[in-house]
């Protein structure tokens, strides 16, 4: 185990991606400690103040927005929403898509036909449009955003896991297990699933990045949480309006979003190379 | 022990894979199935084990094993009957799960088939690895399949097959994927274990040299049909069918130049 850990740490993608993800996680966990201001506190005497780096009670390291709220504090608090969406939507999507993909790939026949057609139909909708329609129907709010992501993105897992399960099912060790008299459930759990897990984990990190972007998109169009509460998408939307007067607003939020998604993707790429027992 | 009567099988679309194949294997006997690729020799083994490809269906005939009609059993009864059967596969790499350690893969089968506890299964696995003359068996148990050589993997699979004390083993070209020196060792190993455990073996191969070394009787297949069936000495000394003679003629000989 320790050896596996050391090997992971030799992969720069895992290290850099992991560090970025860890930084966002820590920001989310420690937001009340890290943030210099209350993210909702308005200071109408300091609207659109530019970033300044002097030390003092009234310093805004990354400037303020049009209501005089501290940008750094809002970015830190906004990471809570990003992390919640990444983890909850990512895990739920992974569970649903992997379960259906395993069923379709392993049992084939009618189950496969049904699930695969469903995936085909699902994938023919433009995802962002579908998300907007779903959230409009479910009502705004974080829970609707998560539901929308799960409902739309399970196909991503389902397809890949189904293909991998089909490949696994043709391997001789599955035949050997059948010949040995193991039942389908035992084969699915012990022989197929361990070979699917690394793949599912990689997809999960990629999905976490996608979920963060989708939440930002929905915030941008005002369909996520209320516009008061700090979210990166909301800050991008607000910054867009004042990009000539206060470019730091837009750029800071975008950079943070970029770094987070990059972190998840690098981590996923690195894990993919390291987790395959045959490749490593 | 095993009686196959008039077994026919067809692939989807009605292409015949096996045509009225009949053979029997007595307890403790080694029966060879010889033929070129596509002759249906592996299909017979797979039909006995119940692992025919999805596209192939049995259309007629019966397989009796140890007094039971294997084709008429319910899936759970079929799995029960399968406890007395084992497979030594052709490709020792793809027959081991790449993401699980050898110990887990061996003990899973042992616990399931013999109802052993985890500790007893581990002990039995170790004992069998000793018996297949693998070096450092405790070390091998902790390895992943890709960390072992082809010969070692095949030894692990042979150990697993014999560990369950089956009455019949289907050996599906167990030496084809190995290089020649390892082939010889593996063949001797299978023969020794088969004798000491008194296990019947259905030995699928295209190599007549292998047949001569290990089999007691032979069925020669062509296009899904048995063209000749006889004790191994008779086949080698007086091949009756023209196809069998052609097979012998096609075997490379190192003591004279090719014709």
């Amino acid at each position: 185990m320790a050896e596996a850990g050391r090997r992971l740490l030799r992969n720069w993608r895992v290290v850099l991606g992991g560090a970025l993800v860890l930084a966002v996680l820590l920001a989310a966990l420690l937001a009340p400690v890290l943030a210099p201001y209350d993210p909702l506190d308005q200071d109408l005497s300091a609207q659109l103040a530019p970033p300044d780096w002097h030390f003092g009670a009234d310093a805004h390291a990354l400037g303020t927005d049009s209501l005089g709220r501290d940008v750094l504090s809002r970015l830190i608090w906004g990471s809570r929403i990003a992390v919640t969406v990444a983890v909850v939507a990512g895990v739920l999507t992974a569970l649903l898509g992997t379960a259906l993909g395993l069923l379709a790939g392993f049992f084939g026949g009618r189950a496969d036909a049904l699930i695969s057609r469903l995936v085909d139909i699902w994938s023919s909708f433009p995802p962002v449009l579908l998300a907007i329609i779903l959230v409009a129907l479910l009502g705004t709010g974080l829970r609707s955003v998560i539901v929308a992501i799960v409902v739309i993105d399970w196909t991503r897992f389902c397809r890949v896991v189904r293909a991998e399960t089909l490949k696994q099912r043709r391997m001789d060790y599955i035949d050997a297990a059948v010949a040995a008299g193991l039942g389908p459930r035992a084969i699915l759990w012990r022989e197929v699933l361990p070979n699917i897990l690394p793949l599912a984990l990689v997809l999960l990190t990629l999905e976490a990045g996608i979920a963060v972007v989708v939440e930002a998109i929905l915030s941008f169009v005002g369909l996520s949480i209320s516009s008061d509460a700090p979210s990166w998408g909301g800050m991008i939307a607000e910054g867009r309006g004042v990009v000539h007067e206060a470019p730091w607003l837009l750029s800071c939020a975008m950079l943070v979003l970029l770094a987070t998604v990059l972190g998840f993707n690098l981590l996923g790429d690195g894990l993919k190379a390291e987790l395959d027992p045959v490749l490593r | 022990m095993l009686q196959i009567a008039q077994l026919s099988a067809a692939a989807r679309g009605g292409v015949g894979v096996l045509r009225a194949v009949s053979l029997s294997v007595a307890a403790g006997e080694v029966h060879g199935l010889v033929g070129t690729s596509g002759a249906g020799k592996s299909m017979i083994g797979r039909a006995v084990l119940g692992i025919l490809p999805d596209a192939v269906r049995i259309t007629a005939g019966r397989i009796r094993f140890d007094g039971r009609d294997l084709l008429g059993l319910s899936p759970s009864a079929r799995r029960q009957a399968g406890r007395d059967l084992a497979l030594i596969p052709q490709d020792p790499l793809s027959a081991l799960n790449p993401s699980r350690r050898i110990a887990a893969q061996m003990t899973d089968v042992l616990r399931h088939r013999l109802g052993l506890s985890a500790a007893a299964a581990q002990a039995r696995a170790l004992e069998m690895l000793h018996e297949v003359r693998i070096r450092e068996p405790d070390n091998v148990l902790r390895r992943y399949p890709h960390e072992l050589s082809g010969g070692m993997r095949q030894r692990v699979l042979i150990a697993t097959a014999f560990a369950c004390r089956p009455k019949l083993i289907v050996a599906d070209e167990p030496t084809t994927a190995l290089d020649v020196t390892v082939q010889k060792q593996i063949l001797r190993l299978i023969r020794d274990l088969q004798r000491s455990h008194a296990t019947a073996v259905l030995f699928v191969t295209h190599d007549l040299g292998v047949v001569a070394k290990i089999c007691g009787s032979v069925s020669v297949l062509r296009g899904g049909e048995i063209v000749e069936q006889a004790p191994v000495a008779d086949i080698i000394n007086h091949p009756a069918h023209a196809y069998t003679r052609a097979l012998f003629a096609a075997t490379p000989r190192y003591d004279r130049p090719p014709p």
Side-chain angles (χ1 to χ4, degrees):
Chain A
M1 221 50 220
E3 186 212 344
R6 267 198 298 279
R7 201 179 45 236
L8 276 181
L9 289 180
R10 276 203 297 271
N11 185 314
W12 70 269
R13 286 187 181 83
V14 174
V15 173
L16 183 57
L20 285 169
V21 170
L22 194 68
V24 178
L25 275 176
L26 283 178
L29 275 175
L30 303 175
V33 186
L34 290 177
Y37 292 87
D38 183 322
L40 299 180
D41 253 2
Q42 303 182 1
D43 179 359
L44 294 176
S45 67
Q47 290 172 6
L48 296 179
D52 77 71
W53 288 84
H54 82 265
F55 290 96
D58 58 342
H60 295 284
L62 295 177
T64 62
D65 65 8
S66 49
L67 293 172
R69 297 175 295 196
D70 182 56
V71 171
L72 177 62
S73 305
R74 287 179 70 75
L75 284 177
I76 292 173
W77 281 90
S79 67
R80 288 201 154 185
I81 289 164
V83 166
T84 309
V85 170
V87 171
V88 178
V91 168
L92 290 180
T93 311
L95 286 179
L96 182 68
T98 305
L100 288 175
L102 275 175
L103 287 181
F106 190 74
F107 290 105
R110 227 174 282 173
D112 185 26
L114 184 72
I115 293 172
S116 293
R117 290 303 79 72
L118 211 57
V119 170
D120 288 345
I121 295 168
W122 234 252
S123 322
S124 61
F125 285 105
V128 174
L129 201 61
L130 190 56
I132 292 173
I133 293 171
L134 270 172
V135 175
L137 286 175
L138 294 167
T140 57
L142 201 55
R143 200 189 318 177
S144 308
V145 172
I146 289 172
V147 170
I149 292 172
V150 174
V151 165
I152 292 164
D153 266 354
W154 65 273
T155 58
R156 202 187 301 270
F157 280 84
C158 190
R159 273 191 174 165
V160 179
V161 169
R162 172 181 172 272
E164 185 63 24
T165 309
L166 279 177
K167 197 179 108 194
Q168 293 292 330
R169 209 172 59 114
R170 281 193 210 102
M171 302 300 281
D172 285 347
Y173 51 83
I174 303 292
D175 279 347
V178 175
L182 262 68
R185 207 167 28 169
I187 292 173
L188 201 53
W189 274 108
R190 293 192 216 152
E191 304 290 342
V192 179
L193 197 62
N195 286 301
I196 302 289
L197 274 183
L199 184 72
L201 191 64
V202 170
L203 281 176
L204 174 62
T205 53
L206 298 178
E207 181 62 35
I210 292 166
V212 172
V213 173
V214 171
E215 194 281 324
I217 291 173
L218 292 175
S219 290
F220 184 79
V221 295
L223 283 174
S224 187
I225 56 165
S226 79
S227 58
D228 251 7
S231 78
W232 297 344
M235 293 176 72
I236 294 174
E238 199 205 331
R240 195 185 62 93
V242 292
V243 68
H244 296 298
E245 301 93 310
W248 55 87
L249 202 50
L250 183 67
S251 27
C252 285
M254 274 175 40
L255 277 177
V256 170
L257 185 66
L258 187 85
T260 307
V261 178
L262 183 70
F264 278 120
N265 286 358
L266 282 176
L267 188 61
D269 265 2
L271 287 178
K272 184 165 69 184
E274 294 300 325
L275 284 181
D276 192 316
V278 182
L279 278 184
R280 73 190 176 205
Chain B
M1 170 70 49
L2 175 75
Q3 288 104 28
I4 299 177
Q6 299 295 313
L7 185 72
S8 296
R12 208 172 280 154
V15 184
V17 175
L18 295 174
R19 295 198 187 94
V21 168
S22 298
L23 61 86
S24 62
V25 185
E29 187 200 359
V30 182
H31 187 92
L33 290 174
V34 211
T36 48
S37 321
K41 48 195 195 306
S42 288
M43 287 302 158
I44 296 176
R46 294 187 155 254
V48 171
L49 293 169
I51 51 172
L52 281 172
D54 290 344
V56 177
R57 294 268 179 278
I58 289 172
T59 50
R62 281 193 314 167
I63 301 176
R64 285 188 70 77
F65 171 66
D66 207 18
R68 279 168 295 192
D69 181 5
L70 288 186
L71 300 180
L73 297 175
S74 69
S76 66
R78 178 72 185 73
R79 280 204 289 276
Q80 194 71 26
R83 292 180 181 212
D84 289 329
L85 293 163
L87 168 71
I88 301 176
Q90 174 171 3
D91 179 359
L93 181 55
S94 75
L96 288 166
N97 192 331
S99 57
R100 309 185 65 210
R101 291 174 202 275
I102 300 296
Q105 304 196 43
M106 286 188 78
T107 54
D108 252 15
V109 177
L110 290 172
R111 294 178 68 179
H112 178 74
R113 300 253 289 236
L114 303 177
L116 297 177
S117 69
Q122 182 90 11
R124 175 87 180 129
L126 200 59
E127 178 194 334
M128 276 317 295
L129 287 183
H130 272 296
E131 206 168 326
V132 297
R133 305 194 277 270
I134 219 164
R135 255 175 288 159
E136 300 181 52
D138 341 315
N139 188 15
V140 167
L141 279 178
R142 285 194 298 272
R143 299 276 152 215
Y144 285 97
H146 69 276
E147 298 173 317
L148 304 179
S149 70
M152 284 168 92
R153 285 184 209 128
Q154 195 58 289
R155 280 171 201 268
V156 167
L157 288 164
I158 291 169
T160 314
F162 278 99
C164 304
R165 302 189 187 90
K167 293 178 177 153
L168 176 80
I169 286 180
V170 176
D172 189 358
E173 308 224 16
T175 56
T176 307
L178 306 170
D179 68 51
V180 181
T181 49
V182 181
Q183 273 185 13
K184 213 169 158 187
Q185 298 166 7
I186 293 291
L187 212 56
R188 193 178 303 141
L189 181 65
I190 294 177
R191 196 191 56 204
D192 291 352
L193 285 172
Q194 177 268 329
R195 283 189 188 153
S196 62
H197 292 239
T199 315
V201 177
L202 196 56
F203 201 101
V204 178
T205 182
H206 60 257
D207 188 338
L208 287 160
V210 169
V211 167
K213 283 198 192 82
I214 193 167
C215 297
S217 57
V218 186
S219 298
V220 181
L221 280 127
R222 183 181 60 178
E225 276 176 300
I226 292 182
V227 296
E228 185 166 1
Q229 204 166 48
V232 71
D234 294 359
I235 287 259
I236 290 173
N237 296 324
H238 328 281
H241 197 278
Y243 181 69
T244 315
R245 287 198 291 273
L247 272 184
F248 273 106
T251 309
R253 294 275 300 257
Y254 304 107
D255 54 349
R256 49 172 192 241

